[in-house]
Amino acid sequence: MESTISETNDLSGQQISILERMLERYIKYWPLLVALIVINLGIAFVYLKYTVPTYEVSELIMLKESDSNLSDLTGASKSADPKDQKTIENEIVVLASRPLADEVVKNLRLYAPVYIKGQFFNRSAYLFSPVILEALNPDSLKSQLSGSFKVTAGTSSVTLDGTTYALNKKIIFHGVQIRFILNPNNRGPIDPRTFYFSLIDLKTASASLDASLEIEGAKKETTLIGLKIKDEIPKRGEDILNTLIASYNKRSIKEKTKAAANTLKFVQNRLSLMEGQLDTIQNGIETYRSTEGAVDISQQSSQYLSTVNNNEQRLSELKPQFAVLDQIE
């Protein structure tokens, strides 16, 4: 027992000795350690203060039931049909397609971002810029252009690079037709600061949108599609997803309408063809009967009319009886 206590005391003494030697070796570097801690804290402070934060916005789409046996808009699929999963994959490809991205960029004028310059970073003016830019032909944008403008409070004009223009007026800016329109997202007073803008070609703007957009099936056994986007302005992220969904629904309705029209046209053509064939056959039968004397057409017509009249008379007699039976029931 005494031996065990002695060994424990020896180990404790060795640990204290090692700690003392380490302190003696590194204590002379304490100013450097303090300086590193201060520098790291300063870097963290600058990063948090001047780095633009990003927010994640998400939406869900539930596919309607169609020829692919998908569920209705109010419910999920009843089984994990591989055909349903294939259809979901196809719809994801459609949502991430270039035409839909171009449509979103055009509708929200994402090809013409407006911002204000900061000390370290530029800040988007999506919500507080009095006006926004609109290219009259966004497809004509080929290279990136930039400029600045200022809106005078109490007026409906914009000063662009030293020249004053009225709102909604066509302007030729470096060969591109643009105009200034009121910003629907701005609800505050006119901001007198100088705003800066860029004109980006449609391909680059759409590629940037695709890079920030994430589309995937929400769950394997449902027809839900999840949409996510990261943006420094939550309102712009919401607008992008809502516009994307609206464009997707519009395109789906257009495609279904086109398919229905083609089907209707095909059915009408087939009915017209069958009607012509039946008329030809009927005419042939009547011609054969009349020429061969198989049936007297006029006599047959008289008999048919007589039978119809008798049936109508009998039906008139039975109607009151049917009415009485309905009342009894």
Side-chain angles (χ1 to χ4, degrees):
M1 186 69 178
E2 292 179 356
S3 176
T4 304
I5 295 175
S6 176
E7 291 177 358
T8 303
N9 291 335
D10 291 341
L11 290 175
S12 301
Q14 292 177 2
Q15 292 176 354
I16 294 174
S17 177
I18 293 173
L19 182 60
E20 289 176 350
R21 286 198 298 268
M22 290 180 63
L23 289 175
E24 291 176 356
R25 183 174 181 180
Y26 294 106
I27 194 65
K28 58 183 178 181
Y29 298 109
W30 71 265
L32 180 60
L33 295 176
V34 173
L36 290 176
I37 293 174
V38 172
I39 291 174
N40 289 331
L41 291 176
I43 293 174
F45 174 78
V46 172
Y47 177 81
L48 294 176
K49 183 175 179 61
Y50 296 103
T51 300
V52 179
T54 57
Y55 304 89
E56 184 178 278
V57 183
S58 60
E59 291 282 354
L60 285 177
I61 297 179
M62 181 174 287
L63 300 180
K64 292 183 179 180
E65 185 176 3
S66 60
D67 294 337
S68 59
N69 294 326
L70 291 177
S71 65
D72 189 42
L73 185 61
T74 58
S77 60
K78 296 181 180 180
S79 62
D81 192 346
K83 188 178 180 181
D84 294 352
Q85 296 300 323
K86 185 66 176 178
T87 302
I88 293 176
E89 293 176 1
N90 294 338
E91 297 305 314
I92 291 176
V93 173
V94 173
L95 284 166
S97 63
R98 172 72 184 276
L100 284 185
D102 289 348
E103 192 169 346
V104 173
V105 170
K106 291 178 181 179
N107 290 338
L108 296 180
R109 289 94 178 177
L110 299 179
Y111 53 80
V114 179
Y115 57 91
I116 58 174
K117 290 185 176 181
Q119 186 175 3
F120 294 96
F121 302 97
N122 297 331
R123 192 156 60 101
S124 174
Y126 184 81
L127 295 178
F128 55 86
S129 173
V131 297
I132 56 176
L133 280 81
E134 180 181 61
L136 301 184
N137 185 15
D139 296 315
S140 65
L141 298 173
K142 300 301 181 182
S143 59
Q144 183 169 343
L145 303 173
S146 60
S148 62
F149 67 88
K150 191 174 183 180
V151 181
T152 305
T155 63
S156 57
S157 60
V158 177
T159 302
L160 172 63
D161 293 341
T163 305
T164 301
Y165 301 94
L167 294 182
N168 300 313
K169 181 181 179 180
K170 183 175 69 173
I171 304 170
I172 304 299
F173 181 75
H174 295 283
V176 180
Q177 296 182 357
I178 64 171
R179 66 176 179 177
F180 287 93
I181 60 176
L182 291 175
N183 184 6
N185 296 308
N186 181 34
R187 298 291 186 268
I190 298 296
D191 195 327
R193 289 180 292 180
T194 299
F195 292 89
Y196 299 85
F197 67 90
S198 298
L199 290 174
I200 309 171
D201 65 281
L202 206 61
K203 182 178 180 181
T204 302
S206 298
S208 177
L209 176 61
D210 288 335
S212 61
L213 189 64
E214 182 180 347
I215 306 175
E216 59 182 5
K219 293 182 179 180
K220 292 184 178 180
E221 297 183 357
T222 66
T223 57
L224 293 173
I225 296 178
L227 305 177
K228 294 181 182 179
I229 189 171
K230 292 183 179 180
D231 199 292
E232 60 181 280
I233 303 174
K235 179 64 168 60
R236 183 168 59 187
E238 293 177 4
D239 292 342
I240 290 174
L241 293 185
N242 291 334
T243 305
L244 178 62
I245 294 173
S247 299
Y248 166 76
N249 290 334
K250 182 179 178 181
R251 184 176 293 270
S252 298
I253 292 173
K254 185 177 179 180
E255 291 178 355
K256 291 178 180 178
T257 302
K258 183 178 179 180
N262 292 335
T263 303
L264 179 61
K265 184 178 179 180
F266 173 77
V267 172
Q268 289 176 342
N269 291 337
R270 294 297 299 172
L271 288 176
S272 299
L273 179 62
M274 294 177 65
E275 183 179 0
Q277 293 175 349
L278 289 175
D279 290 339
T280 302
I281 294 172
Q282 186 67 26
N283 293 333
I285 293 175
E286 292 180 359
T287 301
Y288 174 79
R289 288 178 175 177
S290 61
T291 55
E292 298 296 330
V295 178
D296 188 354
I297 300 299
S298 59
Q299 182 179 0
Q300 188 178 19
S301 301
S302 300
Q303 293 177 354
Y304 174 78
L305 291 175
S306 177
T307 303
V308 171
N309 291 331
N310 292 333
N311 290 337
E312 290 181 352
Q313 183 178 1
R314 182 60 178 167
L315 183 61
S316 299
E317 295 173 358
L318 293 176
K319 281 184 179 180
Q321 300 179 18
F322 287 144
V324 172
L325 290 175
D326 289 339
Q327 294 179 359
I328 293 174
E329 184 179 1

